[in-house]
Amino acid sequence: MNNDKNVDKLKVIPLGGLGEFGMNCMAIRYKDDIIVIDAGLMFPEDELLGVDIVVPDITYLLENRAMVRGILLTHGHEDHIGGLPRILTELNVPVYGTEFTLTYVEGKLEEHKLLDGADLIEMVPGERFNIGPFNIQPIRVTHSLVDCVALAVRTPVGTIVHTGDFKIDLSSPDGKPFDLHSFAELGKEGVLLLLQDSTNCDRPGYTPGELAVRPRLDEIFSRAKRRLFFSCFSSSIHRIKLAMDLAHQHGRKVALIGRSMDNATEIAQDLGYINPPEGLLIHSGQIRDFPPEKVCVMISGTQGEPMSALSRAAVDNHKHAKIEAGDTVLLSSRVIPGNEKSIFSMIDHLYRRNAKVIYDDGASGLIHVSGHASQEELRLMINLLRPKFFVPVHGDYRHLTRHIEVATSTTIPERCILIEDGEVLELDANSATKTGKVTSGRVLIDSGSTSDVIEDIIIRDRKHLSEAGLVLAIISIDKMTGRQEGTAEIVTRGFAVNEEGMHAEARKIIQRTLETSSDEEKRDWMLIKEKIRADLKRYIQKNTGRRPMVMPVILEI
């Protein structure tokens, strides 16, 4: 007989996404079965020099690999699927997602040569299925991407609802509105725990539906005198479809430029989300075959990414996308925090081309709407589901805290609990308690690879080099006598000082260090290098106030 008091407890363990935006990954464990909701990445902050992507530390899953039954994906954005290649190289378990999400995943896994060994299983909104002791019900939600779901997970302890990213749009352009009815039914049945998207918890009111941008975009299409360059997130399938509809309505041909725009549109056409009229789409090489007022160029690069199509066009460095005086450039997107500098630099270049630039500057009329629920929608969901316990997910600490205030104002959850990455929340039918921590954190990936993991010390070295520069001391030593041959060569990079004076003194210090070292010390190259490094570092810091990275190199001759 098992006397473990916790054997029947349900454990909820966030491995990413609670305390930061991105890297969403949540483990749910009952006894010896674990399911994982989402496997996202995060794009690095500026101080993570040379790092391409950041993914969650999955040590906990690897330690319990025999228990992991599958990964369930709520939708196809990078912050929910981008960590999959890294995870599947270490933990090849079934991956569940909707049709559109899995199509995105296939492309990503193929790129990393992981598709052949992957077990991808489609889930259909409304159709329940079992994974071990868990009964999963995907529920249709609306977001800025298509084919998104929330997940109701029925367990022996009670039902957990994970909203994924959502907003409540009852007039979705694809005719697949937010499934309010299923959430209401769950509320009647009883919900133990609600895990709810925190992204817009500080915005009052309701988030407008996707069709709210149509009037302003229609006006822009009608007023554009010459070519119209339309840029939005390539995953915004509804926005791409709307732009194509408006182009057709205003007699413009559509050219697609940019790999991500091409890929997203191709997938959306294959799955029936976009059906452009025959003859509407033209090849990018045909743009100049039509009068400027008869062309709409849909182009990727709305966030000013350095090598994106729009950034290259802004500096007149794109083969087909030539932006000229009088052309209109519309950025139908929001400025993602952290990208301001690159976006406004790109906009400056567009103004230098004498283009008319329209972006989300708070002017009248919507050119972009968020894909995340605002406060009233969050309250509405809580009122529908009537959960016993509430945990905010997806956001920085301040968002999680603010979201708890919103949830508390409804007076419905018995208890609202703020947990962060790695913290274990244990639940039974009547209680929810934080009981400890598991290993969690960030894994830094270089070069977009799934294997080039960057250690913190490398980032520290890169930061040190970028701020203080490098001093390289190359010393030739006779391996027979242990004596220095000639004078040391001093090389500096990124270190602006009076080089001649410093170099001469540095050579003297190296010579003095060698002369005062014993024969035994001289036979230990590592020890000698460390002594030279310490003496040079002390001299440079004392005389210049700077702390460059000092690297002695000993050449045996």
Side-chain angles (χ1 to χ4, degrees), residues 95-156:
V95 176
Y96 298 78
T98 59
E99 182 184 36
F100 189 90
T101 302
L102 290 185
T103 309
Y104 257 26
V105 167
E106 283 173 7
K108 185 170 289 296
L109 296 184
E110 192 168 23
E111 194 178 313
H112 289 89
K113 298 181 173 55
L114 294 169
L115 184 57
D116 290 346
D119 183 11
L120 305 181
I121 302 167
E122 185 182 339
M123 55 185 184
V124 178
E127 294 187 9
R128 288 164 63 167
F129 59 96
N130 294 318
I131 303 177
F134 306 106
N135 178 263
I136 316 293
Q137 179 185 355
I139 304 172
R140 170 112 31 222
V141 296
T142 43
H143 182 45
S144 53
L145 188 63
V146 297
D147 220 5
C148 306
V149 292
L151 296 169
V153 182
R154 290 174 174 84
T155 78

Side-chain angles (χ1 to χ4, degrees), residues 230-349:
F230 185 100
S231 189
C232 66
F233 296 118
S234 59
S235 60
S236 297
I237 305 302
H238 295 315
R239 198 75 46 82
I240 292 171
K241 180 182 185 303
L242 176 56
M244 287 186 178
D245 291 346
L246 288 171
H248 181 59
Q249 180 185 319
H250 290 276
R252 290 178 182 264
K253 299 290 185 183
V254 173
L256 301 169
I257 292 183
R259 192 177 74 149
S260 60
M261 186 69 74
D262 266 338
N263 290 347
T265 306
E266 185 179 343
I267 291 170
Q269 282 184 261
D270 288 346
L271 299 181
Y273 287 94
I274 295 176
N275 294 298
E278 196 171 334
L280 178 70
L281 297 180
I282 59 172
H283 187 269
S284 53
Q286 296 176 275
I287 291 173
R288 297 208 165 261
D289 296 345
F290 295 87
E293 68 276 8
K294 295 293 182 185
V295 175
C296 170
V297 179
M298 301 196 63
I299 187 166
S300 58
T302 182
Q303 295 301 298
E305 302 92 329
M307 291 308 293
S308 68
L310 186 55
S311 286
R312 284 158 51 210
V315 293
D316 199 19
N317 187 27
H318 196 283
K319 185 178 178 182
H320 300 301
K322 298 290 182 186
I323 297 173
E324 298 171 348
D327 289 345
T328 299
V329 180
L330 169 61
L331 304 179
S332 180
S333 61
R334 74 184 180 101
V335 175
I336 293 179
N339 293 349
E340 295 91 347
K341 189 173 180 182
S342 57
I343 292 172
F344 289 117
S345 172
M346 178 180 72
I347 289 172
D348 280 347
H349 286 300

Side-chain angles (χ1 to χ4, degrees), residues 471-477 484-492 506-507 510 514 529 532 536 550-557:
V471 174
L472 196 65
I474 303 168
I475 308 120
S476 299
I477 293 182
Q484 182 181 357
E485 293 292 324
T487 57
E489 184 181 350
I490 308 295
V491 178
T492 61
R507 290 187 188 103
I510 291 168
L514 288 168
K529 280 203 287 189
I532 291 171
L536 279 179
V550 178
M551 289 184 66
V553 176
I554 293 179
L555 301 178
E556 287 184 326
I557 58 171

Side-chain angles (χ1 to χ4, degrees), residues 18-34:
L18 275 74
E20 67 273 309
F21 277 110
M23 214 169 70
N24 297 297
C25 188
M26 173 79 73
I28 298 173
R29 176 174 176 175
Y30 181 72
K31 293 187 179 179
D32 292 336
D33 293 280
I34 297 172

Side-chain angles (χ1 to χ4, degrees), residues 39-287:
L41 60 72
M42 183 170 74
F43 291 106
E45 301 100 340
D46 288 344
E47 64 264 23
L48 295 179
L49 302 168
V51 173
D52 291 326
I53 61 170
V54 184
V55 297
D57 185 331
I58 59 162
T59 300
Y60 175 77
L61 300 180
L62 298 178
E63 288 171 350
N64 298 282
R65 62 170 64 244
M67 302 181 191
V68 182
R69 306 292 173 236
I71 299 171
L72 300 149
L73 304 174
T74 57
H75 66 287
H77 275 145
E78 287 290 326
D79 57 334
H80 293 259
I81 68 168
L84 263 181
R86 167 75 185 165
I87 291 174
L88 292 183
T89 56
E90 299 189 79
L91 189 71
N92 195 3
V93 296
V95 176
Y96 298 78
T98 59
E99 182 184 36
F100 189 90
T101 302
L102 290 185
T103 309
Y104 257 26
V105 167
E106 283 173 7
K108 185 170 289 296
L109 296 184
E110 192 168 23
E111 194 178 313
H112 289 89
K113 298 181 173 55
L114 294 169
L115 184 57
D116 290 346
D119 183 11
L120 305 181
I121 302 167
E122 185 182 339
M123 55 185 184
V124 178
E127 294 187 9
R128 288 164 63 167
F129 59 96
N130 294 318
I131 303 177
F134 306 106
N135 178 263
I136 316 293
Q137 179 185 355
I139 304 172
R140 170 112 31 222
V141 296
T142 43
H143 182 45
S144 53
L145 188 63
V146 297
D147 220 5
C148 306
V149 292
L151 296 169
V153 182
R154 290 174 174 84
T155 78
V157 173
T159 299
I160 295 177
V161 175
H162 189 300
T163 65
D165 286 356
F166 81 100
K167 67 177 179 181
I168 299 177
D169 189 349
L170 300 179
S171 57
S172 183
D174 59 5
K176 297 174 180 176
F178 186 93
D179 187 357
L180 273 175
H181 177 74
S182 290
F183 287 106
E185 289 298 313
L186 277 169
K188 289 179 191 172
E189 185 184 309
V191 173
L192 179 65
L193 172 67
L194 172 60
L195 303 160
Q196 191 178 49
D197 174 21
S198 304
T199 308
N200 278 356
C201 65
D202 53 356
R203 292 193 188 181
Y206 294 87
T207 301
E210 284 297 314
L211 291 177
V213 299
R214 185 177 182 114
R216 176 74 172 125
L217 297 191
D218 190 11
E219 179 192 339
I220 292 167
F221 268 83
S222 65
R223 290 189 176 182
K225 298 284 192 290
R226 287 175 48 85
R227 288 187 195 90
L228 175 59
F229 288 81
F230 185 100
S231 189
C232 66
F233 296 118
S234 59
S235 60
S236 297
I237 305 302
H238 295 315
R239 198 75 46 82
I240 292 171
K241 180 182 185 303
L242 176 56
M244 287 186 178
D245 291 346
L246 288 171
H248 181 59
Q249 180 185 319
H250 290 276
R252 290 178 182 264
K253 299 290 185 183
V254 173
L256 301 169
I257 292 183
R259 192 177 74 149
S260 60
M261 186 69 74
D262 266 338
N263 290 347
T265 306
E266 185 179 343
I267 291 170
Q269 282 184 261
D270 288 346
L271 299 181
Y273 287 94
I274 295 176
N275 294 298
E278 196 171 334
L280 178 70
L281 297 180
I282 59 172
H283 187 269
S284 53
Q286 296 176 275
I287 291 173

Side-chain angles (χ1 to χ4, degrees), residues 386-413:
R386 308 192 68 77
K388 193 179 188 75
F389 304 114
F390 175 88
V391 169
V393 297
H394 306 170
D396 294 331
Y397 194 88
R398 68 182 185 277
H399 291 86
L400 305 181
T401 305
R402 182 77 184 93
H403 198 173
I404 289 218
E405 291 172 12
V406 172
T408 304
S409 71
T410 66
T411 71
I412 287 175

